[in-house]
Amino acid sequence: LNAAPRRAPRQHVRFLPAPDGAAGLVAARVPVLADHPLVRGPRFRRLKVGAGHRLDAKASGVFVLGIGHGNKLLNDLYDCHLTKVYTVSGLFGKATNDFSDTGKLIEKTTFDHITREKLERIVAVIQGANHKALLMHSNIDMKTQEAYELAVQGLIRPMGKSPPIITAIRCLQFTLPEFQLEIHCLHETQQYLRKIVHEIGLELKSSAVCTQVRRIRDGVFTLDDALLRTQWNLQSIQKAIQDCQLKVKMELEKTL
C-alpha cells in the first residue's frame, strides 16, 4: 500500500518576493510541505491483519488471512465450523518421536504384507468411528425433520467445541512404502493428522511416518484462491479479496 502512487500534495497560496529583484510580493501556489513524503512518512502504519486456521511450520497449503473488516468475517467463518481438506502423505516402515519423517528415528519395521485393500479397510473403520462422534457432538436429534434438512445440505457439524473429527477419509495413492490420503476434518491440528498416519501404521502391524501435510481447502477457500509468494503484491491481493467476497457472503448466509 505504501509503495502505491500517492495523491498529489495539496497546494496553498503564498506571497513570495518578486522575481528578478523587483520590488513587491507576488502571489504563488506552492505545495504544502506537510504533505511531502519525507515529512509525513508512510501513509499506512497500522493495518490489522488476522490469521484464520493456522498451519504449523511443517505444513503447507491454504492459509486464510483477514485484513481490516475481514477480521470480523474470519470470526464469523470460525463460528460456521467449516470442513477443511488435507492431502496427507505417509511412509511405511519406520516410526519417529514426532510422527514426521524428520523426527528422531525410534524403530524400523517391515511393510511387505500391507496391501491397498488392508489400508482402505482401516481407513473405513476410522471414518465410521468419527461419523458416530460427529453425530454425538452435533447435538441434533437425528429423527427430526431438522436433522434431515441439515443432512441434505451437508450442514451437520459440531457447532461448538469438540475433539478433532474426521468427516471423510480416502486413499488417493498407494505405492509401497508410500501412500497418500485425502482427509476432510473439523477442529484438527496438523500434528493430529500426523498421529493418524502413525496409528494407521500400527493398525496394519507395521509403522508409518507422515512426510507431508498439505491443506487444499479451508471452508470456501481452495488452492485456486491462494496466492503464491511471487503474487504477494497489492494488485493480486485486491483481486483475491474481490473474487472471494461473494463466496464468503453466501456461505455465511447459508450457515449462520
Side-chain angles (χ1 to χ4, degrees), residues 15 53 59 75 88 94 96 111 121 136 143 146 157 161 172 176 178 191-192 221 226 238 242 251 254:
F15 291 94
H53 298 106
N75 291 332
V88 179
K94 62 180 182 178
T96 61
F111 51 82
R121 197 177 305 135
M136 181 179 69
K143 298 180 181 179
E146 176 193 14
R157 58 177 71 106
K161 290 185 178 180
L172 294 179
L176 278 179
E178 299 178 353
Q191 186 63 12
Y192 171 78
F221 301 97
Q238 283 181 315
Q242 292 167 357
E251 185 63 39
K254 181 177 75 172

mmCIF file with all atom_site columns, all heavy atoms in Angstrom, residues 15 53 59 75 88 94 96 111 121 136 143 146 157 161 172 176 178 191-192 221 226 238 242 251 254:
data_model
loop_
_atom_site.group_PDB
_atom_site.id
_atom_site.type_symbol
_atom_site.label_atom_id
_atom_site.label_alt_id
_atom_site.label_comp_id
_atom_site.label_asym_id
_atom_site.label_entity_id
_atom_site.label_seq_id
_atom_site.pdbx_PDB_ins_code
_atom_site.Cartn_x
_atom_site.Cartn_y
_atom_site.Cartn_z
_atom_site.occupancy
_atom_site.B_iso_or_equiv
_atom_site.pdbx_formal_charge
_atom_site.auth_seq_id
_atom_site.auth_comp_id
_atom_site.auth_asym_id
_atom_site.auth_atom_id
_atom_site.pdbx_PDB_model_num
ATOM 1   N N   . PHE A 1 15  ? 2.763   34.451  -0.562 1.00 0.00 ? 15  PHE A N   1
ATOM 2   C CA  . PHE A 1 15  ? 3.281   35.671  -1.201 1.00 0.00 ? 15  PHE A CA  1
ATOM 3   C C   . PHE A 1 15  ? 4.802   35.617  -1.133 1.00 0.00 ? 15  PHE A C   1
ATOM 4   O O   . PHE A 1 15  ? 5.397   35.671  -0.041 1.00 0.00 ? 15  PHE A O   1
ATOM 5   C CB  . PHE A 1 15  ? 2.741   36.917  -0.510 1.00 0.00 ? 15  PHE A CB  1
ATOM 6   C CG  . PHE A 1 15  ? 1.270   37.111  -0.728 1.00 0.00 ? 15  PHE A CG  1
ATOM 7   C CD1 . PHE A 1 15  ? 0.342   36.630  0.182  1.00 0.00 ? 15  PHE A CD1 1
ATOM 8   C CD2 . PHE A 1 15  ? 0.809   37.758  -1.876 1.00 0.00 ? 15  PHE A CD2 1
ATOM 9   C CE1 . PHE A 1 15  ? -1.012  36.799  -0.030 1.00 0.00 ? 15  PHE A CE1 1
ATOM 10  C CE2 . PHE A 1 15  ? -0.547  37.924  -2.082 1.00 0.00 ? 15  PHE A CE2 1
ATOM 11  C CZ  . PHE A 1 15  ? -1.460  37.454  -1.167 1.00 0.00 ? 15  PHE A CZ  1
ATOM 12  N N   . HIS A 1 53  ? -7.405  -20.324 10.386 1.00 0.00 ? 53  HIS A N   1
ATOM 13  C CA  . HIS A 1 53  ? -6.903  -21.587 10.930 1.00 0.00 ? 53  HIS A CA  1
ATOM 14  C C   . HIS A 1 53  ? -5.424  -21.711 10.592 1.00 0.00 ? 53  HIS A C   1
ATOM 15  O O   . HIS A 1 53  ? -5.049  -21.742 9.428  1.00 0.00 ? 53  HIS A O   1
ATOM 16  C CB  . HIS A 1 53  ? -7.693  -22.766 10.345 1.00 0.00 ? 53  HIS A CB  1
ATOM 17  C CG  . HIS A 1 53  ? -9.143  -22.726 10.681 1.00 0.00 ? 53  HIS A CG  1
ATOM 18  N ND1 . HIS A 1 53  ? -10.111 -22.383 9.761  1.00 0.00 ? 53  HIS A ND1 1
ATOM 19  C CD2 . HIS A 1 53  ? -9.799  -22.945 11.849 1.00 0.00 ? 53  HIS A CD2 1
ATOM 20  C CE1 . HIS A 1 53  ? -11.307 -22.432 10.335 1.00 0.00 ? 53  HIS A CE1 1
ATOM 21  N NE2 . HIS A 1 53  ? -11.146 -22.757 11.599 1.00 0.00 ? 53  HIS A NE2 1
ATOM 22  N N   . ALA A 1 59  ? 3.758   -27.832 7.764  1.00 0.00 ? 59  ALA A N   1
ATOM 23  C CA  . ALA A 1 59  ? 2.608   -27.998 6.871  1.00 0.00 ? 59  ALA A CA  1
ATOM 24  C C   . ALA A 1 59  ? 2.604   -26.901 5.808  1.00 0.00 ? 59  ALA A C   1
ATOM 25  O O   . ALA A 1 59  ? 3.302   -25.894 5.919  1.00 0.00 ? 59  ALA A O   1
ATOM 26  C CB  . ALA A 1 59  ? 1.309   -27.962 7.673  1.00 0.00 ? 59  ALA A CB  1
ATOM 27  N N   . ASN A 1 75  ? -13.914 -14.319 12.106 1.00 0.00 ? 75  ASN A N   1
ATOM 28  C CA  . ASN A 1 75  ? -14.615 -14.818 13.296 1.00 0.00 ? 75  ASN A CA  1
ATOM 29  C C   . ASN A 1 75  ? -15.935 -15.483 12.918 1.00 0.00 ? 75  ASN A C   1
ATOM 30  O O   . ASN A 1 75  ? -16.305 -16.531 13.473 1.00 0.00 ? 75  ASN A O   1
ATOM 31  C CB  . ASN A 1 75  ? -14.866 -13.678 14.280 1.00 0.00 ? 75  ASN A CB  1
ATOM 32  C CG  . ASN A 1 75  ? -13.585 -13.155 14.910 1.00 0.00 ? 75  ASN A CG  1
ATOM 33  O OD1 . ASN A 1 75  ? -12.616 -13.895 15.046 1.00 0.00 ? 75  ASN A OD1 1
ATOM 34  N ND2 . ASN A 1 75  ? -13.569 -11.894 15.283 1.00 0.00 ? 75  ASN A ND2 1
ATOM 35  N N   . VAL A 1 88  ? -2.542  -35.881 2.882  1.00 0.00 ? 88  VAL A N   1
ATOM 36  C CA  . VAL A 1 88  ? -1.533  -36.296 3.864  1.00 0.00 ? 88  VAL A CA  1
ATOM 37  C C   . VAL A 1 88  ? -0.761  -37.475 3.281  1.00 0.00 ? 88  VAL A C   1
ATOM 38  O O   . VAL A 1 88  ? -1.355  -38.496 2.928  1.00 0.00 ? 88  VAL A O   1
ATOM 39  C CB  . VAL A 1 88  ? -2.204  -36.697 5.197  1.00 0.00 ? 88  VAL A CB  1
ATOM 40  C CG1 . VAL A 1 88  ? -1.158  -37.150 6.204  1.00 0.00 ? 88  VAL A CG1 1
ATOM 41  C CG2 . VAL A 1 88  ? -3.012  -35.530 5.750  1.00 0.00 ? 88  VAL A CG2 1
ATOM 42  N N   . LYS A 1 94  ? 8.865   -47.113 9.264  1.00 0.00 ? 94  LYS A N   1
ATOM 43  C CA  . LYS A 1 94  ? 9.625   -46.530 10.368 1.00 0.00 ? 94  LYS A CA  1
ATOM 44  C C   . LYS A 1 94  ? 8.723   -45.664 11.223 1.00 0.00 ? 94  LYS A C   1
ATOM 45  O O   . LYS A 1 94  ? 7.657   -45.217 10.787 1.00 0.00 ? 94  LYS A O   1
ATOM 46  C CB  . LYS A 1 94  ? 10.825  -45.730 9.862  1.00 0.00 ? 94  LYS A CB  1
ATOM 47  C CG  . LYS A 1 94  ? 10.510  -44.535 8.989  1.00 0.00 ? 94  LYS A CG  1
ATOM 48  C CD  . LYS A 1 94  ? 11.799  -43.833 8.556  1.00 0.00 ? 94  LYS A CD  1
ATOM 49  C CE  . LYS A 1 94  ? 11.512  -42.593 7.719  1.00 0.00 ? 94  LYS A CE  1
ATOM 50  N NZ  . LYS A 1 94  ? 12.762  -41.890 7.340  1.00 0.00 ? 94  LYS A NZ  1
ATOM 51  N N   . THR A 1 96  ? 8.917   -42.376 14.277 1.00 0.00 ? 96  THR A N   1
ATOM 52  C CA  . THR A 1 96  ? 9.737   -41.325 14.874 1.00 0.00 ? 96  THR A CA  1
ATOM 53  C C   . THR A 1 96  ? 9.030   -40.753 16.093 1.00 0.00 ? 96  THR A C   1
ATOM 54  O O   . THR A 1 96  ? 7.850   -41.021 16.335 1.00 0.00 ? 96  THR A O   1
ATOM 55  C CB  . THR A 1 96  ? 10.009  -40.190 13.865 1.00 0.00 ? 96  THR A CB  1
ATOM 56  O OG1 . THR A 1 96  ? 8.756   -39.605 13.463 1.00 0.00 ? 96  THR A OG1 1
ATOM 57  C CG2 . THR A 1 96  ? 10.725  -40.713 12.633 1.00 0.00 ? 96  THR A CG2 1
ATOM 58  N N   . PHE A 1 111 ? 7.035   -53.963 5.998  1.00 0.00 ? 111 PHE A N   1
ATOM 59  C CA  . PHE A 1 111 ? 5.756   -53.453 5.468  1.00 0.00 ? 111 PHE A CA  1
ATOM 60  C C   . PHE A 1 111 ? 5.307   -54.215 4.227  1.00 0.00 ? 111 PHE A C   1
ATOM 61  O O   . PHE A 1 111 ? 4.311   -53.842 3.597  1.00 0.00 ? 111 PHE A O   1
ATOM 62  C CB  . PHE A 1 111 ? 5.897   -51.965 5.121  1.00 0.00 ? 111 PHE A CB  1
ATOM 63  C CG  . PHE A 1 111 ? 7.081   -51.633 4.248  1.00 0.00 ? 111 PHE A CG  1
ATOM 64  C CD1 . PHE A 1 111 ? 7.016   -51.801 2.877  1.00 0.00 ? 111 PHE A CD1 1
ATOM 65  C CD2 . PHE A 1 111 ? 8.259   -51.190 4.810  1.00 0.00 ? 111 PHE A CD2 1
ATOM 66  C CE1 . PHE A 1 111 ? 8.100   -51.509 2.074  1.00 0.00 ? 111 PHE A CE1 1
ATOM 67  C CE2 . PHE A 1 111 ? 9.359   -50.892 4.012  1.00 0.00 ? 111 PHE A CE2 1
ATOM 68  C CZ  . PHE A 1 111 ? 9.286   -51.048 2.640  1.00 0.00 ? 111 PHE A CZ  1
ATOM 69  N N   . ARG A 1 121 ? -9.415  -50.708 4.335  1.00 0.00 ? 121 ARG A N   1
ATOM 70  C CA  . ARG A 1 121 ? -10.267 -51.266 5.384  1.00 0.00 ? 121 ARG A CA  1
ATOM 71  C C   . ARG A 1 121 ? -10.067 -50.485 6.693  1.00 0.00 ? 121 ARG A C   1
ATOM 72  O O   . ARG A 1 121 ? -11.038 -50.135 7.364  1.00 0.00 ? 121 ARG A O   1
ATOM 73  C CB  . ARG A 1 121 ? -9.923  -52.740 5.592  1.00 0.00 ? 121 ARG A CB  1
ATOM 74  C CG  . ARG A 1 121 ? -11.001 -53.535 6.349  1.00 0.00 ? 121 ARG A CG  1
ATOM 75  C CD  . ARG A 1 121 ? -10.616 -54.997 6.433  1.00 0.00 ? 121 ARG A CD  1
ATOM 76  N NE  . ARG A 1 121 ? -10.359 -55.556 5.105  1.00 0.00 ? 121 ARG A NE  1
ATOM 77  C CZ  . ARG A 1 121 ? -9.322  -56.318 4.820  1.00 0.00 ? 121 ARG A CZ  1
ATOM 78  N NH1 . ARG A 1 121 ? -8.433  -56.619 5.740  1.00 0.00 ? 121 ARG A NH1 1
ATOM 79  N NH2 . ARG A 1 121 ? -9.176  -56.813 3.596  1.00 0.00 ? 121 ARG A NH2 1
ATOM 80  N N   . MET A 1 136 ? -22.745 -37.306 17.591 1.00 0.00 ? 136 MET A N   1
ATOM 81  C CA  . MET A 1 136 ? -22.860 -37.090 19.028 1.00 0.00 ? 136 MET A CA  1
ATOM 82  C C   . MET A 1 136 ? -22.600 -35.631 19.386 1.00 0.00 ? 136 MET A C   1
ATOM 83  O O   . MET A 1 136 ? -23.320 -35.038 20.194 1.00 0.00 ? 136 MET A O   1
ATOM 84  C CB  . MET A 1 136 ? -21.867 -37.990 19.770 1.00 0.00 ? 136 MET A CB  1
ATOM 85  C CG  . MET A 1 136 ? -21.915 -37.854 21.287 1.00 0.00 ? 136 MET A CG  1
ATOM 86  S SD  . MET A 1 136 ? -20.748 -38.956 22.105 1.00 0.00 ? 136 MET A SD  1
ATOM 87  C CE  . MET A 1 136 ? -19.188 -38.202 21.607 1.00 0.00 ? 136 MET A CE  1
ATOM 88  N N   . LYS A 1 143 ? -33.721 -38.018 14.392 1.00 0.00 ? 143 LYS A N   1
ATOM 89  C CA  . LYS A 1 143 ? -35.037 -38.465 13.952 1.00 0.00 ? 143 LYS A CA  1
ATOM 90  C C   . LYS A 1 143 ? -35.954 -37.306 13.561 1.00 0.00 ? 143 LYS A C   1
ATOM 91  O O   . LYS A 1 143 ? -37.113 -37.518 13.242 1.00 0.00 ? 143 LYS A O   1
ATOM 92  C CB  . LYS A 1 143 ? -35.707 -39.284 15.062 1.00 0.00 ? 143 LYS A CB  1
ATOM 93  C CG  . LYS A 1 143 ? -34.949 -40.556 15.421 1.00 0.00 ? 143 LYS A CG  1
ATOM 94  C CD  . LYS A 1 143 ? -35.646 -41.325 16.528 1.00 0.00 ? 143 LYS A CD  1
ATOM 95  C CE  . LYS A 1 143 ? -34.871 -42.598 16.895 1.00 0.00 ? 143 LYS A CE  1
ATOM 96  N NZ  . LYS A 1 143 ? -35.530 -43.346 17.986 1.00 0.00 ? 143 LYS A NZ  1
ATOM 97  N N   . GLU A 1 146 ? -35.525 -31.427 11.031 1.00 0.00 ? 146 GLU A N   1
ATOM 98  C CA  . GLU A 1 146 ? -34.384 -30.503 11.003 1.00 0.00 ? 146 GLU A CA  1
ATOM 99  C C   . GLU A 1 146 ? -33.097 -31.250 10.659 1.00 0.00 ? 146 GLU A C   1
ATOM 100 O O   . GLU A 1 146 ? -32.292 -30.791 9.837  1.00 0.00 ? 146 GLU A O   1
ATOM 101 C CB  . GLU A 1 146 ? -34.228 -29.820 12.365 1.00 0.00 ? 146 GLU A CB  1
ATOM 102 C CG  . GLU A 1 146 ? -33.008 -28.911 12.449 1.00 0.00 ? 146 GLU A CG  1
ATOM 103 C CD  . GLU A 1 146 ? -32.679 -28.493 13.875 1.00 0.00 ? 146 GLU A CD  1
ATOM 104 O OE1 . GLU A 1 146 ? -33.220 -29.099 14.811 1.00 0.00 ? 146 GLU A OE1 1
ATOM 105 O OE2 . GLU A 1 146 ? -31.866 -27.572 14.038 1.00 0.00 ? 146 GLU A OE2 1
ATOM 106 N N   . ARG A 1 157 ? -22.672 -30.642 11.588 1.00 0.00 ? 157 ARG A N   1
ATOM 107 C CA  . ARG A 1 157 ? -21.328 -30.476 12.114 1.00 0.00 ? 157 ARG A CA  1
ATOM 108 C C   . ARG A 1 157 ? -21.414 -29.976 13.547 1.00 0.00 ? 157 ARG A C   1
ATOM 109 O O   . ARG A 1 157 ? -22.448 -29.398 13.937 1.00 0.00 ? 157 ARG A O   1
ATOM 110 C CB  . ARG A 1 157 ? -20.531 -29.487 11.262 1.00 0.00 ? 157 ARG A CB  1
ATOM 111 C CG  . ARG A 1 157 ? -21.152 -28.100 11.150 1.00 0.00 ? 157 ARG A CG  1
ATOM 112 C CD  . ARG A 1 157 ? -20.252 -27.177 10.362 1.00 0.00 ? 157 ARG A CD  1
ATOM 113 N NE  . ARG A 1 157 ? -20.229 -27.510 8.958  1.00 0.00 ? 157 ARG A NE  1
ATOM 114 C CZ  . ARG A 1 157 ? -20.843 -26.803 8.018  1.00 0.00 ? 157 ARG A CZ  1
ATOM 115 N NH1 . ARG A 1 157 ? -21.541 -25.737 8.354  1.00 0.00 ? 157 ARG A NH1 1
ATOM 116 N NH2 . ARG A 1 157 ? -20.788 -27.153 6.764  1.00 0.00 ? 157 ARG A NH2 1
ATOM 117 N N   . LYS A 1 161 ? -17.342 -26.456 20.694 1.00 0.00 ? 161 LYS A N   1
ATOM 118 C CA  . LYS A 1 161 ? -16.060 -27.121 20.867 1.00 0.00 ? 161 LYS A CA  1
ATOM 119 C C   . LYS A 1 161 ? -16.249 -28.639 20.829 1.00 0.00 ? 161 LYS A C   1
ATOM 120 O O   . LYS A 1 161 ? -17.212 -29.164 21.363 1.00 0.00 ? 161 LYS A O   1
ATOM 121 C CB  . LYS A 1 161 ? -15.424 -26.698 22.184 1.00 0.00 ? 161 LYS A CB  1
ATOM 122 C CG  . LYS A 1 161 ? -14.940 -25.244 22.197 1.00 0.00 ? 161 LYS A CG  1
ATOM 123 C CD  . LYS A 1 161 ? -14.222 -24.920 23.484 1.00 0.00 ? 161 LYS A CD  1
ATOM 124 C CE  . LYS A 1 161 ? -13.695 -23.482 23.467 1.00 0.00 ? 161 LYS A CE  1
ATOM 125 N NZ  . LYS A 1 161 ? -12.975 -23.147 24.722 1.00 0.00 ? 161 LYS A NZ  1
ATOM 126 N N   . LEU A 1 172 ? -5.751  -41.924 -1.754 1.00 0.00 ? 172 LEU A N   1
ATOM 127 C CA  . LEU A 1 172 ? -5.560  -41.378 -3.095 1.00 0.00 ? 172 LEU A CA  1
ATOM 128 C C   . LEU A 1 172 ? -4.514  -42.152 -3.880 1.00 0.00 ? 172 LEU A C   1
ATOM 129 O O   . LEU A 1 172 ? -4.692  -42.427 -5.072 1.00 0.00 ? 172 LEU A O   1
ATOM 130 C CB  . LEU A 1 172 ? -5.132  -39.904 -3.011 1.00 0.00 ? 172 LEU A CB  1
ATOM 131 C CG  . LEU A 1 172 ? -6.139  -38.906 -2.457 1.00 0.00 ? 172 LEU A CG  1
ATOM 132 C CD1 . LEU A 1 172 ? -5.526  -37.506 -2.428 1.00 0.00 ? 172 LEU A CD1 1
ATOM 133 C CD2 . LEU A 1 172 ? -7.408  -38.887 -3.298 1.00 0.00 ? 172 LEU A CD2 1
ATOM 134 N N   . LEU A 1 176 ? 3.813   -48.962 -2.283 1.00 0.00 ? 176 LEU A N   1
ATOM 135 C CA  . LEU A 1 176 ? 4.678   -49.278 -1.141 1.00 0.00 ? 176 LEU A CA  1
ATOM 136 C C   . LEU A 1 176 ? 6.107   -48.782 -1.355 1.00 0.00 ? 176 LEU A C   1
ATOM 137 O O   . LEU A 1 176 ? 6.652   -48.930 -2.443 1.00 0.00 ? 176 LEU A O   1
ATOM 138 C CB  . LEU A 1 176 ? 4.690   -50.790 -0.900 1.00 0.00 ? 176 LEU A CB  1
ATOM 139 C CG  . LEU A 1 176 ? 3.520   -51.354 -0.106 1.00 0.00 ? 176 LEU A CG  1
ATOM 140 C CD1 . LEU A 1 176 ? 3.672   -52.875 0.012  1.00 0.00 ? 176 LEU A CD1 1
ATOM 141 C CD2 . LEU A 1 176 ? 3.420   -50.743 1.264  1.00 0.00 ? 176 LEU A CD2 1
ATOM 142 N N   . GLU A 1 178 ? 5.089   -45.958 0.104  1.00 0.00 ? 178 GLU A N   1
ATOM 143 C CA  . GLU A 1 178 ? 4.456   -44.643 0.204  1.00 0.00 ? 178 GLU A CA  1
ATOM 144 C C   . GLU A 1 178 ? 2.953   -44.747 -0.023 1.00 0.00 ? 178 GLU A C   1
ATOM 145 O O   . GLU A 1 178 ? 2.471   -45.628 -0.735 1.00 0.00 ? 178 GLU A O   1
ATOM 146 C CB  . GLU A 1 178 ? 5.075   -43.678 -0.808 1.00 0.00 ? 178 GLU A CB  1
ATOM 147 C CG  . GLU A 1 178 ? 6.565   -43.434 -0.607 1.00 0.00 ? 178 GLU A CG  1
ATOM 148 C CD  . GLU A 1 178 ? 7.142   -42.514 -1.655 1.00 0.00 ? 178 GLU A CD  1
ATOM 149 O OE1 . GLU A 1 178 ? 6.404   -42.172 -2.621 1.00 0.00 ? 178 GLU A OE1 1
ATOM 150 O OE2 . GLU A 1 178 ? 8.318   -42.134 -1.543 1.00 0.00 ? 178 GLU A OE2 1
ATOM 151 N N   . GLN A 1 191 ? -0.593  -31.731 13.660 1.00 0.00 ? 191 GLN A N   1
ATOM 152 C CA  . GLN A 1 191 ? 0.043   -32.794 14.419 1.00 0.00 ? 191 GLN A CA  1
ATOM 153 C C   . GLN A 1 191 ? -0.914  -33.967 14.634 1.00 0.00 ? 191 GLN A C   1
ATOM 154 O O   . GLN A 1 191 ? -0.500  -35.135 14.641 1.00 0.00 ? 191 GLN A O   1
ATOM 155 C CB  . GLN A 1 191 ? 0.550   -32.254 15.763 1.00 0.00 ? 191 GLN A CB  1
ATOM 156 C CG  . GLN A 1 191 ? 1.370   -33.225 16.588 1.00 0.00 ? 191 GLN A CG  1
ATOM 157 C CD  . GLN A 1 191 ? 2.666   -33.646 15.906 1.00 0.00 ? 191 GLN A CD  1
ATOM 158 O OE1 . GLN A 1 191 ? 3.084   -33.066 14.921 1.00 0.00 ? 191 GLN A OE1 1
ATOM 159 N NE2 . GLN A 1 191 ? 3.301   -34.674 16.453 1.00 0.00 ? 191 GLN A NE2 1
ATOM 160 N N   . TYR A 1 192 ? -2.197  -33.660 14.791 1.00 0.00 ? 192 TYR A N   1
ATOM 161 C CA  . TYR A 1 192 ? -3.202  -34.720 14.927 1.00 0.00 ? 192 TYR A CA  1
ATOM 162 C C   . TYR A 1 192 ? -3.246  -35.586 13.671 1.00 0.00 ? 192 TYR A C   1
ATOM 163 O O   . TYR A 1 192 ? -3.357  -36.817 13.757 1.00 0.00 ? 192 TYR A O   1
ATOM 164 C CB  . TYR A 1 192 ? -4.571  -34.098 15.189 1.00 0.00 ? 192 TYR A CB  1
ATOM 165 C CG  . TYR A 1 192 ? -5.717  -35.079 15.136 1.00 0.00 ? 192 TYR A CG  1
ATOM 166 C CD1 . TYR A 1 192 ? -5.977  -35.942 16.192 1.00 0.00 ? 192 TYR A CD1 1
ATOM 167 C CD2 . TYR A 1 192 ? -6.542  -35.145 14.012 1.00 0.00 ? 192 TYR A CD2 1
ATOM 168 C CE1 . TYR A 1 192 ? -7.028  -36.841 16.142 1.00 0.00 ? 192 TYR A CE1 1
ATOM 169 C CE2 . TYR A 1 192 ? -7.590  -36.045 13.942 1.00 0.00 ? 192 TYR A CE2 1
ATOM 170 C CZ  . TYR A 1 192 ? -7.833  -36.892 15.014 1.00 0.00 ? 192 TYR A CZ  1
ATOM 171 O OH  . TYR A 1 192 ? -8.861  -37.782 14.944 1.00 0.00 ? 192 TYR A OH  1
ATOM 172 N N   . PHE A 1 221 ? -12.467 -21.540 0.801  1.00 0.00 ? 221 PHE A N   1
ATOM 173 C CA  . PHE A 1 221 ? -11.221 -21.179 0.121  1.00 0.00 ? 221 PHE A CA  1
ATOM 174 C C   . PHE A 1 221 ? -10.486 -22.431 -0.346 1.00 0.00 ? 221 PHE A C   1
ATOM 175 O O   . PHE A 1 221 ? -10.310 -23.380 0.415  1.00 0.00 ? 221 PHE A O   1
ATOM 176 C CB  . PHE A 1 221 ? -10.314 -20.372 1.057  1.00 0.00 ? 221 PHE A CB  1
ATOM 177 C CG  . PHE A 1 221 ? -10.938 -19.104 1.548  1.00 0.00 ? 221 PHE A CG  1
ATOM 178 C CD1 . PHE A 1 221 ? -11.563 -19.060 2.793  1.00 0.00 ? 221 PHE A CD1 1
ATOM 179 C CD2 . PHE A 1 221 ? -10.922 -17.952 0.787  1.00 0.00 ? 221 PHE A CD2 1
ATOM 180 C CE1 . PHE A 1 221 ? -12.149 -17.899 3.251  1.00 0.00 ? 221 PHE A CE1 1
ATOM 181 C CE2 . PHE A 1 221 ? -11.501 -16.779 1.232  1.00 0.00 ? 221 PHE A CE2 1
ATOM 182 C CZ  . PHE A 1 221 ? -12.123 -16.760 2.471  1.00 0.00 ? 221 PHE A CZ  1
ATOM 183 N N   . ALA A 1 226 ? -5.611  -19.296 -3.598 1.00 0.00 ? 226 ALA A N   1
ATOM 184 C CA  . ALA A 1 226 ? -4.382  -18.966 -2.881 1.00 0.00 ? 226 ALA A CA  1
ATOM 185 C C   . ALA A 1 226 ? -3.418  -18.173 -3.767 1.00 0.00 ? 226 ALA A C   1
ATOM 186 O O   . ALA A 1 226 ? -3.396  -18.319 -4.988 1.00 0.00 ? 226 ALA A O   1
ATOM 187 C CB  . ALA A 1 226 ? -3.707  -20.237 -2.381 1.00 0.00 ? 226 ALA A CB  1
ATOM 188 N N   . GLN A 1 238 ? -5.777  -7.386  -3.797 1.00 0.00 ? 238 GLN A N   1
ATOM 189 C CA  . GLN A 1 238 ? -7.087  -6.751  -4.011 1.00 0.00 ? 238 GLN A CA  1
ATOM 190 C C   . GLN A 1 238 ? -7.998  -7.641  -4.845 1.00 0.00 ? 238 GLN A C   1
ATOM 191 O O   . GLN A 1 238 ? -9.184  -7.788  -4.545 1.00 0.00 ? 238 GLN A O   1
ATOM 192 C CB  . GLN A 1 238 ? -6.903  -5.396  -4.690 1.00 0.00 ? 238 GLN A CB  1
ATOM 193 C CG  . GLN A 1 238 ? -6.416  -4.290  -3.765 1.00 0.00 ? 238 GLN A CG  1
ATOM 194 C CD  . GLN A 1 238 ? -6.277  -2.966  -4.502 1.00 0.00 ? 238 GLN A CD  1
ATOM 195 O OE1 . GLN A 1 238 ? -5.745  -2.921  -5.606 1.00 0.00 ? 238 GLN A OE1 1
ATOM 196 N NE2 . GLN A 1 238 ? -6.747  -1.897  -3.890 1.00 0.00 ? 238 GLN A NE2 1
ATOM 197 N N   . GLN A 1 242 ? -11.646 -9.384  -3.764 1.00 0.00 ? 242 GLN A N   1
ATOM 198 C CA  . GLN A 1 242 ? -12.871 -9.161  -4.539 1.00 0.00 ? 242 GLN A CA  1
ATOM 199 C C   . GLN A 1 242 ? -13.453 -10.487 -5.043 1.00 0.00 ? 242 GLN A C   1
ATOM 200 O O   . GLN A 1 242 ? -14.667 -10.687 -5.020 1.00 0.00 ? 242 GLN A O   1
ATOM 201 C CB  . GLN A 1 242 ? -12.567 -8.236  -5.721 1.00 0.00 ? 242 GLN A CB  1
ATOM 202 C CG  . GLN A 1 242 ? -12.225 -6.814  -5.295 1.00 0.00 ? 242 GLN A CG  1
ATOM 203 C CD  . GLN A 1 242 ? -11.623 -5.989  -6.424 1.00 0.00 ? 242 GLN A CD  1
ATOM 204 O OE1 . GLN A 1 242 ? -11.405 -6.497  -7.524 1.00 0.00 ? 242 GLN A OE1 1
ATOM 205 N NE2 . GLN A 1 242 ? -11.351 -4.723  -6.154 1.00 0.00 ? 242 GLN A NE2 1
ATOM 206 N N   . GLU A 1 251 ? -21.752 -18.291 1.961  1.00 0.00 ? 251 GLU A N   1
ATOM 207 C CA  . GLU A 1 251 ? -21.543 -19.327 2.962  1.00 0.00 ? 251 GLU A CA  1
ATOM 208 C C   . GLU A 1 251 ? -22.045 -18.868 4.334  1.00 0.00 ? 251 GLU A C   1
ATOM 209 O O   . GLU A 1 251 ? -22.661 -19.646 5.074  1.00 0.00 ? 251 GLU A O   1
ATOM 210 C CB  . GLU A 1 251 ? -20.046 -19.669 3.050  1.00 0.00 ? 251 GLU A CB  1
ATOM 211 C CG  . GLU A 1 251 ? -19.738 -20.822 3.991  1.00 0.00 ? 251 GLU A CG  1
ATOM 212 C CD  . GLU A 1 251 ? -20.362 -22.134 3.541  1.00 0.00 ? 251 GLU A CD  1
ATOM 213 O OE1 . GLU A 1 251 ? -20.383 -22.406 2.327  1.00 0.00 ? 251 GLU A OE1 1
ATOM 214 O OE2 . GLU A 1 251 ? -20.840 -22.877 4.408  1.00 0.00 ? 251 GLU A OE2 1
ATOM 215 N N   . LYS A 1 254 ? -25.834 -19.021 4.386  1.00 0.00 ? 254 LYS A N   1
ATOM 216 C CA  . LYS A 1 254 ? -26.343 -20.388 4.381  1.00 0.00 ? 254 LYS A CA  1
ATOM 217 C C   . LYS A 1 254 ? -26.180 -21.037 5.750  1.00 0.00 ? 254 LYS A C   1
ATOM 218 O O   . LYS A 1 254 ? -27.078 -21.751 6.232  1.00 0.00 ? 254 LYS A O   1
ATOM 219 C CB  . LYS A 1 254 ? -25.602 -21.205 3.331  1.00 0.00 ? 254 LYS A CB  1
ATOM 220 C CG  . LYS A 1 254 ? -26.072 -22.655 3.234  1.00 0.00 ? 254 LYS A CG  1
ATOM 221 C CD  . LYS A 1 254 ? -25.358 -23.408 2.141  1.00 0.00 ? 254 LYS A CD  1
ATOM 222 C CE  . LYS A 1 254 ? -23.945 -23.745 2.538  1.00 0.00 ? 254 LYS A CE  1
ATOM 223 N NZ  . LYS A 1 254 ? -23.285 -24.651 1.558  1.00 0.00 ? 254 LYS A NZ  1
#
